[in-house]
Amino acid sequence: MMKSKYLRPLLLVIGVVALNVLAGFFYFRLDLTEDRRYSLSDATRNILDQLDDEVYVKVYLDGDLNPGFRHLRESIRETLEEFKAHSGGHLDYRFIDPSAETDAKKRNALYEALTEKGLIPTNVVEGGQDSRSQKLVWPGALLTFQNKETSVQLLKGNISQSAQENLNLSAENVEYSLATALRELTQKEKKRIGLLSTLSKKLNPVRISDLIVALQKNYDIFQVNLQTSPNLDGLDAVLVIKPDQEFSEDDQLKLDQFIVHGGKALFFMDAVQTDSVGREGVYAQPTNLKIDELLFRYGLRANSVVVKDMLSAQIPLNVGTMGDKANIQLMPWRFYPLLNSYGKSPITRNLDALYGRYVGSLDTVAAEGIRKTPLVFTSAYTQTLRAPAVIPYNEAGRKPDPTQYTGGPKAVAYLLEGKFSSLFRNRLLPDDPRSKGFAVQDKPSKIVVVADGDLALNDFDPKRQVPLPLGFDRFSPDRHIYANKDFILNAVDYLLDDNGVITALTKEFKLRPLDKVEIEENKTVWQVLNLLGPLVFIVLLGGGWYFWRQKQFS
């Protein structure tokens, strides 16, 4: 009996010690949450596994925060803990409160330094009308690796969602944002993207400067003259932005064979060209780029229309005179739609609205073996204006009749995936020198087509002589930056990222808000249950243990 009395505790101690020893050799973590919020994607783990030097992360989101930002901070902390656990000891982090500095001069200097490094603060206003407080919050991070540094903006948002939904959306994006920054810092070889610049004679290079700078963080960018280049070999993808020159048959053949052989492509094209006709308005006429047949073979038809959308941005227009001065006011311009409806794809997951200008529409046609995924839509309240047509500026001053905007959502962007069949099948003669290396069908590929050439263009500030951020709406009350750049970067990542980091965007955290009506009606019941429930549970557990012991040793 005495032996049995000491044997059980001894075996228990030995078992605990053995378990700890084994845990030192065999590392594992279990994620039992329904939405897998503590699980990293395979692509993220692959990046962390390949770290060969120290990565240090400074997160500037700490201090006295409201519940929404505390939730975001904890999501960032939990994700960084997972990163640290899978990094083999090569990653560490800390949280910093920039507002904790009591010296105003030093604090402002820190704010300025963070802004110069690319972090954008958020002004959080809390309280009611009687007592309202403001606090500057910095929901971003700086990552350092081998004397290289990059910034990450961790607060995402959509103009149509509440603050709580946007903070939850930001929590869903944390892994992707941090993993993308890690890839930028640690990658040794970059994919090569060709910008087919000679197809856009009227395009000022400064209008694509913000996009090019963003792409150069992860990719090597080359300007390519499609007319003089014998082919597009050596490139991983090509980027065609707002072409205004005809694609010759040779141009089409080079693009066709590049895609057929597995090259990726992004097209930002206008099916309708718009030109100002003075103070009267804008003249819209169909473009004749002679690439429609190529896209048609791949499964898309670009319509020669301009879409009017009731969900639109505003522009300054002269609505009359006040004395001897023009009366300039911001008016909704329904030809600048805010595109905020998306298809199901990692490319468009958790995006804010896109800023469009004179957008067209796309329809699908039969193309064997090609999977077509719609990416971006207009709102349901649309009209289509078929070119050629004059768009008068006084259109903005007319109150829209919703009963006339019944065109439904129009697809503005598509993703095509599969083995593309060549447009030039049965067209090239055997003795044609261009038939060397020609393939009717070869490797799987992907292309993205957007029926708006301006979607990829940034504006330019003539006073300061600097380009503005891509997607920046200088006329919106909050000077909003729409998600044009994020959309394009996501699309390029999806086309070219073999590791598939973008799959981290499929993570979804479900909001589980409390039922306020239920809480109010049964407030006392819930308070009693929360107070006495744990005590009752402990008493029952202890009683059960006591009676089991009595039964065992009586």
Side-chain angles (χ1 to χ4, degrees), residues 69 72 120-122 139 153-174 176-177 338-342 347-355 471 478 480-487 490 505:
F69 278 101
L72 176 59
I120 303 172
T122 298
Q153 196 63 26
L154 295 168
L155 180 64
K156 305 293 180 180
N158 188 292
I159 55 173
S160 67
Q161 294 184 340
S162 67
Q164 184 184 16
E165 289 172 324
N166 281 327
L167 286 167
N168 187 67
L169 179 151
S170 301
E172 293 174 348
N173 270 44
V174 168
Y176 174 69
S177 299
L338 299 179
L339 307 168
N340 201 23
S341 181
Y342 298 114
I347 294 174
T348 53
R349 175 87 175 128
N350 291 344
L351 280 185
D352 192 5
L354 307 181
Y355 192 115
D478 60 347
H480 196 77
I481 298 178
Y482 290 95
N484 296 35
K485 181 160 58 177
D486 289 337
F487 167 72
N490 285 358
L505 280 177

Side-chain angles (χ1 to χ4, degrees), residues 171-353:
E172 293 174 348
N173 270 44
V174 168
E175 180 191 339
Y176 174 69
S177 299
L178 292 173
T180 302
L182 270 181
R183 184 188 62 185
E184 174 191 331
L185 288 173
T186 60
Q187 66 180 347
K188 294 178 174 59
E189 293 184 6
K190 294 183 178 182
K191 295 290 182 69
R192 299 159 63 91
I193 299 176
L195 176 63
L196 306 187
S197 55
T198 52
L199 295 168
S200 308
K201 298 281 185 174
K202 299 177 183 177
L203 179 61
N204 188 334
V206 76
R207 298 290 307 280
I208 56 174
S209 57
D210 191 41
L211 176 60
I212 297 305
V213 169
L215 286 171
Q216 284 177 330
K217 291 181 179 181
N218 290 313
Y219 306 97
D220 287 328
I221 310 297
F222 301 89
Q223 288 200 6
V224 177
N225 188 324
L226 190 59
Q227 288 76 34
T228 59
S229 299
N231 52 54
L232 297 172
D233 292 351
L235 296 174
D236 298 291
V238 293
L239 191 57
V240 182
I241 298 178
K242 204 175 174 64
D244 50 45
Q245 305 296 307
E246 288 186 0
F247 288 73
S248 67
E249 186 180 75
D250 276 350
D251 296 340
Q252 293 182 53
L253 178 60
K254 292 171 189 175
L255 269 174
D256 175 85
Q257 287 301 287
F258 176 72
I259 293 170
V260 166
H261 286 294
K264 315 303 189 298
L266 294 95
F267 297 89
F268 295 86
M269 307 175 63
D270 293 323
V272 172
Q273 178 182 342
T274 55
D275 293 299
S276 174
V277 287
R279 296 182 179 180
E280 290 77 19
V282 174
Y283 179 61
Q285 59 181 331
T287 57
N288 185 23
L289 300 176
K290 295 186 177 179
I291 197 173
D292 294 349
E293 193 178 359
L294 184 69
L295 296 179
F296 194 87
R297 169 57 64 92
Y298 295 162
L300 282 183
R301 181 181 66 231
N303 303 310
S304 297
V305 299
V306 180
V307 180
K308 295 171 63 179
D309 196 329
M310 287 191 69
L311 178 61
S312 60
Q314 294 182 315
I315 61 172
L317 289 174
N318 185 357
V319 296
T321 57
M322 294 183 66
D324 59 346
K325 296 183 179 179
N327 183 11
I328 307 295
Q329 293 186 20
L330 287 177
M331 303 295 291
W333 188 239
R334 285 174 281 279
F335 297 94
Y336 281 11
L338 299 179
L339 307 168
N340 201 23
S341 181
Y342 298 114
K344 292 184 178 180
S345 169
I347 294 174
T348 53
R349 175 87 175 128
N350 291 344
L351 280 185
D352 192 5

Side-chain angles (χ1 to χ4, degrees), residues 136-167:
L136 208 59
V137 176
W138 296 79
L142 295 176
L143 283 76
T144 306
F145 176 78
Q146 293 181 347
N147 298 319
K148 294 183 290 184
E149 187 178 68
T150 189
S151 62
V152 181
Q153 196 63 26
L154 295 168
L155 180 64
K156 305 293 180 180
N158 188 292
I159 55 173
S160 67
Q161 294 184 340
S162 67
Q164 184 184 16
E165 289 172 324
N166 281 327
L167 286 167

